[in-house]
């Protein structure tokens, strides 16, 4: 079953079973050499389990969608891409990719997004958010509007003790975080793009780059396990951001 243009297929997995050595060995044996090397570089058990988890999901997604002749490789910056196993040159141009893939993990879960157009996905576990992060996450105008909407003090910079966002504000922050990070993964530029350089509208399902190429992405929030947030992002139906 090949992918339909504009449709995203998501695969989510609980990685906690991979904390057990027997399960890790089983999955490790099924991975290709590149994913094994990534897992071998992870010394923390939870990080190793996450690496194996996203690797397993990526392989499963390809096989489920008729891409048994393909594998997942990684650009120098770490962005995953799909290529045919028979391809001699792993550094493919985007137009040559038979499918597009994005991977993410947080806490106990890993997720894989597969699409016929460029795609980005991000999952985040709920956690306390320091108010000072707002200054790095928003431009000044958006930060002030966010603080006013949630009736927050001004970012808590002068407080000796850290100030954390209340639940409602933290929830919106994490929803925006997953939206922005999914766009960063879509473009392949990662966090170097800068959170404050992106503006996300959760109601419209749009995300915009305010500087640079002023690109636009289309975001969708998905149902996630309790206390997790999950968002995927694609470009226009043509697969080209504009």
């Amino acid at each position: 079953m090949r992918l339909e243009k504009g449709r995203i297929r998501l695969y989510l997995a609980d990685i906690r079973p991979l904390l057990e050595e027997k399960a890790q060995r089983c999955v490790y044996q099924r991975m290709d050499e590149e994913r094994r090397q990534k897992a071998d570089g992870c010394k923390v058990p939870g990080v190793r389990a996450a690496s194996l988890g996203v690797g397993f999901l990526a392989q499963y997604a390809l096989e489920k969608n008729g891409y048994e002749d393909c594998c997942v490789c990684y650009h120098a910056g770490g962005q995953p891409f799909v290529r045919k196993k028979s391809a001699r040159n792993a550094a493919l141009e985007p137009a040559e990719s038979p499918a597009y893939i994005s991977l993410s993990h947080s806490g106990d879960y890993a997720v894989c997004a597969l699409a016929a157009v460029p795609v980005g996905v991000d999952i985040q576990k709920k956690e306390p958010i320091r108010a000072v992060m707002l200054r790095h996450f928003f431009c000044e105008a958006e930060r002030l509007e966010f603080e006013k909407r949630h009736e927050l003090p001004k970012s808590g910079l002068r407080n000796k003790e850290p100030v954390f966002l209340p639940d409602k504000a933290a929830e919106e922050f994490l929803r925006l975080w997953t939206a922005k990070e999914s766009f960063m993964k879509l473009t392949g530029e990662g966090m170097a793009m800068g959170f404050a350089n992106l503006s996300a509208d959760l109601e419209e399902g749009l995300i915009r780059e305010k500087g640079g190429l002023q690109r636009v992405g289309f975001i969708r929030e998905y149902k996630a396990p309790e206390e997790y947030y999950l968002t995927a992002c694609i470009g226009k139906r043509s697969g080209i951001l504009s």
Side-chain angles (χ1 to χ4, degrees):
M1 183 191 302
R2 292 282 168 157
L3 297 165
E4 298 175 16
K5 199 169 186 179
R7 181 176 179 181
I8 303 172
R9 290 187 180 152
L10 289 183
Y11 298 87
L12 180 75
D14 187 333
I15 62 175
R16 283 173 289 188
L18 292 176
L19 293 172
E20 298 180 7
E21 187 176 347
K22 183 178 179 180
Q24 273 200 21
R25 285 200 309 269
C26 181
V27 171
Y28 184 88
Q29 291 170 359
R30 295 188 59 183
M31 296 294 97
D32 58 34
E33 186 58 33
E34 190 163 3
R35 176 51 62 176
R36 288 182 181 183
Q37 289 179 5
K38 282 184 172 291
D40 289 341
C42 302
K43 304 306 178 184
V44 179
V47 177
R48 180 179 172 85
S51 179
L52 290 171
V54 294
F56 177 83
L57 278 181
Q59 187 170 304
Y60 177 82
L62 291 177
E63 293 173 356
K64 266 293 200 182
N65 290 280
Y67 296 97
E68 297 89 347
D69 58 340
C70 297
C71 61
V72 178
C73 296
Y74 298 85
H75 291 297
Q79 183 188 25
F81 68 96
V82 178
R83 72 168 176 87
K84 289 191 175 182
K85 294 177 181 178
S86 58
R88 294 182 179 179
N89 181 15
L92 298 175
E93 292 296 323
E96 299 174 309
S97 297
Y100 296 87
I101 198 166
S102 183
L103 306 170
S104 180
H105 60 81
S106 179
D108 297 328
Y109 292 91
V111 65
C112 169
L114 193 68
V117 295
V119 63
V121 70
D122 189 58
I123 186 170
Q124 292 292 333
K125 183 181 180 180
K126 182 179 180 179
E127 59 184 38
I129 305 298
R130 291 192 177 192
V132 293
M133 292 186 66
L134 299 180
R135 291 186 175 268
H136 306 287
F137 190 75
F138 295 113
C139 68
E140 185 176 3
E142 290 179 330
R143 175 180 62 80
L144 292 173
E145 194 279 331
F146 183 91
E147 290 176 343
K148 181 179 179 181
R149 187 166 67 253
H150 291 285
E151 300 180 346
L152 303 175
K154 293 185 178 180
S155 302
L157 287 176
R158 297 182 180 179
N159 295 291
K160 294 182 179 180
E161 297 296 327
V163 176
F164 293 95
L165 298 182
D167 286 347
K168 189 174 180 180
E171 178 180 348
E172 182 180 346
F173 179 91
L174 288 167
R175 290 173 64 200
L176 290 167
W177 178 286
T178 60
K180 291 187 178 186
E181 191 159 341
S182 68
F183 182 82
M184 292 173 173
K185 291 182 177 182
L186 168 68
T187 64
E189 296 178 27
M191 292 190 179
M193 180 177 288
F195 284 108
N197 195 40
L198 298 175
S199 179
D201 189 320
L202 299 174
E203 296 300 320
E204 290 187 20
L206 290 174
I207 186 165
R208 295 179 174 87
E209 183 182 17
K210 291 180 284 189
L213 300 175
Q214 297 188 345
R215 292 165 290 190
V216 176
F218 294 81
I219 52 176
R220 179 178 175 183
E221 296 180 275
Y222 291 85
K223 185 178 180 180
E226 188 176 359
E227 297 196 337
Y228 284 80
Y229 303 90
L230 174 60
T231 304
C233 181
I234 60 172
K236 289 189 175 181
R237 291 187 178 181
S238 63
I240 301 173
L241 291 174
S242 61

